[in-house]
Amino acid sequence: MDLRSVLSAIAETTLRTGLPVPAPREAVYRWAQPLGLPRNGRVYLYTGALYQLVPYIKAYVSLLEQLGKGGSRLAKLASTRLAARVVRPDRRESELVEGILSSIARLLSRAGVEYAYLYEDDLYSGVLLYDLGLEEAFRKHAARVYEALRRRGAEKLITVDPHTTYVMRSVYPEYVEGFSIEVVNYLELLAERLGSKPARAPGSLGAMVIHDPCLYARALGIVEQPRRLLKAAGVEVLEPRRSGRMTYCCGGPVEALSPRLARRIAEARLRELREKSERVVTLCPICYANLSRVARDETIVDIALVLAKGFLGVDGGAAAGE
Amino acid sequence: MSRVLREVEEALEDDSLRRALERAAENNERNVARVLERHPEVEHLAREVEEAKKSVIERLDYYIDKAMESLRRVGARPYLAETPEEAREIVAGIVGRGKLVVMSKSMVAEELRLREHLEALGNRVWETDLGQLLVQLENGRPMHTIAPAVHISRVEAARLVSERLGLELSSGSPEEIVEAVRRFLREKLVHADVGITGANAVAADTGAVFLVENEGNIRIVSGLSRKHVVVTGVDKIMPTILDAFKAVLVQAAYAGLYPPTYVNVTAGPSSTADIELHRVYGAQGPREVHVVLVDNGRRRAARHPVLSEQLRCIRCGRCQLECPVWQQSANHWGGRVYGGPMGLGWTAVTESLEVAAEAAMLCLGCMRCDLVCPMEIPLSRIAAWLKRQYTRRMGLSG
């Protein structure tokens, strides 16, 4: 597979369908339907679809890997409507992602945050286009996203992952004229409201090693909040050799261009995490996907599921990794 | 598949490379942390060096003129070479043919393919830095700025030294290799006609050339031959002799080797006036000191809004050792000479924007390099800019 074909497939698919990989639109907001979240407001939960896309990205990358062997003509096929039928995510992974997002929604309600949900306007942020240097495609896509948010009267967005938080907070204002929506991450909100008093006895949920995502740690300064929350939830937080601001990338960002390189970096990071515990807590869907791809007897769990268990007593399927 | 991607993926298959890089990265991280803890003043020095570098880049032509003037004043012979070809011709003119030449490791010499050029002219040329000598013996290329042979194991080093130099080894231990190479090179160093070094800093106010090292080869290369040729990039110019000294200390500290065993300062050729106060050049040290300041894209980069940032780099190589991609691939990820995070910018400046842009596509954007760079160069921003150049060149801009 050559770089150009992968990049052009991603740009073309995003501009045509709004999502960087072939996936049905309803896969983005299906998780929220049982919760009955309000549709209108000024403060919106904005997932940016990244969690929901992870199962599709994984399926798509393996499709690309297979097509890659057939050359670039086949790779072009991957960007067509036909590909949407071929990309079939693992059902269990989709359920897991839906469990994570509903845990986040419930935790926000528990913290007394009032918010509405965007449903069909919960559009993909376009962060991958930006990360891959597809600047013009990103600019066009971002303008559409902003238009939808403006139409819904959004004044403040609650984001749930580092990539979407970063791109909305730091990149949109540079690329989208007039963008002035406030962006707050759910961990910042939860830490403020739930982080000060323990919900469970210290360490009652056992020990876990924390893997900080690069963007939270280095670009957004979200380091202390997840630790405070995990501790209040009853987790003993273990620090790996490289943690906090000096955290080490999971390799995920190059997954589409070199799955082998991404895998090697993930293996190196997992070895390091493993030195502290085989129970790893991740804070980002990309880290989750890339580390779980190489995990053997280690358990990789998203922080939202751990917090749901600690604060809500809910076992979101795989809370705290059991 | 692209050339860079292919080379990186091939490197992924090399288990001994991965282990060597892991060890080097861990050691460097620990060493730098220890140095900075014990000598917190180094971080202040780094800020001063950064400011001094910025002032030079803003007025690069002025400082080049000033450095050349100062070099002349102390009896050295300065040259400004715009292209690698020009630089090679200048050095070849100084060296001549059929000579014995000793070199100390220089990345700018690698840019120029200087050793190969001088050999083609019938000179015998020896690298005297142990790592760089190993790279010469394997016909390879340096895999790190400070530790060029970071990819070569002790077993491989012993094999190269015994097969290529015919040196007899029994245990093949690092100590034995070092001793054997010391004896082998000693004879070359004593009889060399010309010594060629790089420079870690050149002081514009005085023409003093600074070189920092631990092996002790540089002081012999620069001090024993009749002719000392310095080949360095114009980015190494610092405003004053004090700034230059600070720059080499900072470089050594962030390479994890502090204090450096040796700092060599050369301000013109050796001389004596001990007989009737009559100045005679060429006492125990060199009679001629030639300083070739190499442009090779640097002056153009100094006017560029993004690439100018790269010129502040002091080549400590810390960003390489801290980078997850580099830790898997070493300088296979990059251009012909420079690899890793700093190598993306340097490749764009000195080799090819196209090569740099393609390599940049593998940058994770994780920003670890930004955090560890002592010159606070926004390395990940340079990589992001290069990615945009790549998509433009590929016709994918929108």
Side-chain angles (χ1 to χ4, degrees), chain B residues 348-365:
Chain B
V349 173
T350 64
E351 186 183 330
S352 145
L353 182 63
E354 208 174 339
V355 173
E358 189 185 303
M361 293 310 292
L362 291 183
C363 167
L364 298 160

Side-chain angles (χ1 to χ4, degrees), chain A residues 6-251:
Chain A
V6 177
L7 294 170
S8 97
I10 291 169
E12 197 271 335
T13 310
T14 310
L15 289 180
R16 189 164 48 76
T17 70
L19 298 171
V21 292
R25 274 294 310 156
E26 63 273 17
V28 174
Y29 51 88
R30 194 169 48 213
W31 67 272
Q33 276 156 354
L35 300 180
L37 300 172
R39 292 186 70 87
N40 298 309
R42 288 183 175 158
V43 180
Y44 283 103
L45 178 62
Y46 174 65
T47 73
L50 202 62
Y51 269 102
Q52 299 90 312
L53 284 171
V54 161
Y56 291 90
I57 291 174
K58 277 172 110 171
Y60 185 67
V61 166
S62 66
L63 173 72
L64 287 180
E65 277 183 289
Q66 287 163 26
L67 291 172
K69 292 167 194 155
S72 63
R73 207 164 57 85
L74 278 173
K76 277 197 182 134
L77 186 75
S79 71
T80 64
R81 284 179 176 81
L82 184 66
R85 290 194 218 159
V86 191
V87 175
R88 293 208 176 280
D90 186 324
R91 183 66 209 142
R92 281 166 309 171
E93 285 189 11
S94 297
E95 281 168 10
L96 179 69
V97 159
E98 288 170 15
I100 291 169
L101 293 171
S102 48
S103 294
I104 292 172
R106 290 193 172 106
L107 284 160
L108 286 168
S109 301
R110 164 61 64 90
V113 180
E114 286 187 18
Y115 63 94
Y117 183 51
L118 290 156
Y119 292 93
E120 61 285 353
D121 285 324
D122 187 2
L123 303 176
Y124 172 59
S125 70
V127 62
L128 189 60
L129 299 176
Y130 177 74
D131 287 345
L132 292 173
L134 295 158
E135 191 177 32
E136 287 314 311
F138 172 71
R139 198 186 297 278
K140 279 185 203 161
H141 181 78
R144 288 181 200 166
V145 174
Y146 178 56
E147 179 51 32
L149 294 171
R150 213 182 46 79
R151 216 174 40 234
R152 293 288 290 266
E155 289 173 8
K156 184 173 177 175
L157 300 177
I158 303 170
T159 51
V160 302
D161 74 81
H163 296 270
T164 307
T165 308
Y166 175 72
V167 81
M168 300 310 285
R169 192 183 279 179
S170 308
V171 183
Y172 266 52
E174 273 181 50
Y175 281 80
V176 181
E177 214 187 308
F179 186 90
S180 61
I181 303 175
E182 189 190 343
V183 179
V184 61
N185 181 272
Y186 86 103
L187 292 172
E188 294 172 316
L189 275 177
L190 292 184
E192 224 174 81
R193 294 164 185 239
L194 297 177
S196 51
K197 52 175 189 251
R200 289 190 177 225
S204 55
L205 284 189
M208 301 185 86
V209 58
I210 186 168
H211 167 73
D212 293 280
C214 300
L215 287 173
Y216 274 168
R218 286 189 272 272
L220 297 162
I222 301 177
V223 172
E224 173 273 331
Q225 297 91 328
R227 285 165 173 75
R228 188 160 21 124
L229 285 166
L230 286 166
K231 277 177 201 157
V235 176
E236 185 195 342
V237 181
L238 304 173
E239 300 287 343
R241 182 163 76 84
R242 293 178 275 208
S243 77
R245 274 194 92 205
M246 288 311 293
T247 189
Y248 198 77
C249 185
C250 69

Side-chain angles (χ1 to χ4, degrees), chain A residues 248 261 264-265, chain B residues 4-14 17-19 21-22 141-144 150-151 320 323-334 339-341 359 362:
Chain A
Y248 198 77
L261 177 61
R264 282 301 175 84
I265 295 170
Chain B
V4 177
L5 189 54
R6 192 170 52 238
E7 204 175 315
V8 166
E9 297 215 334
E10 276 167 20
L12 294 180
E13 300 305 312
D14 186 345
L17 173 69
R18 185 177 57 75
R19 278 195 299 273
L21 296 177
E22 247 170 42
R141 65 176 209 254
M143 280 292 146
H144 181 259
V150 67
H151 58 295
Q320 299 174 313
C323 167
V325 176
W326 190 90
Q327 282 179 16
Q328 297 295 329
S329 54
N331 279 3
H332 291 293
W333 177 43
L362 291 183

Side-chain angles (χ1 to χ4, degrees), chain B residues 213-276:
Chain B
E213 59 159 338
N214 299 293
E215 290 189 23
N217 63 312
I218 295 182
R219 47 182 39 203
I220 307 178
V221 168
S222 63
L224 213 52
S225 315
R226 282 290 185 187
K227 291 181 183 179
H228 174 199
V229 182
V230 177
V231 180
T232 191
V234 293
D235 56 293
K236 291 291 170 63
I237 297 172
M238 295 294 284
T240 69
I241 194 164
L242 208 56
D243 295 322
F245 192 43
K246 288 175 189 169
V248 299
L249 291 180
V250 170
Q251 193 202 21
Y254 284 87
L257 307 160
Y258 193 85
T261 314
Y262 305 107
V263 175
N264 306 282
V265 185
T266 303
S270 68
S271 66
T272 176
D274 281 350
I275 301 170
E276 295 180 354

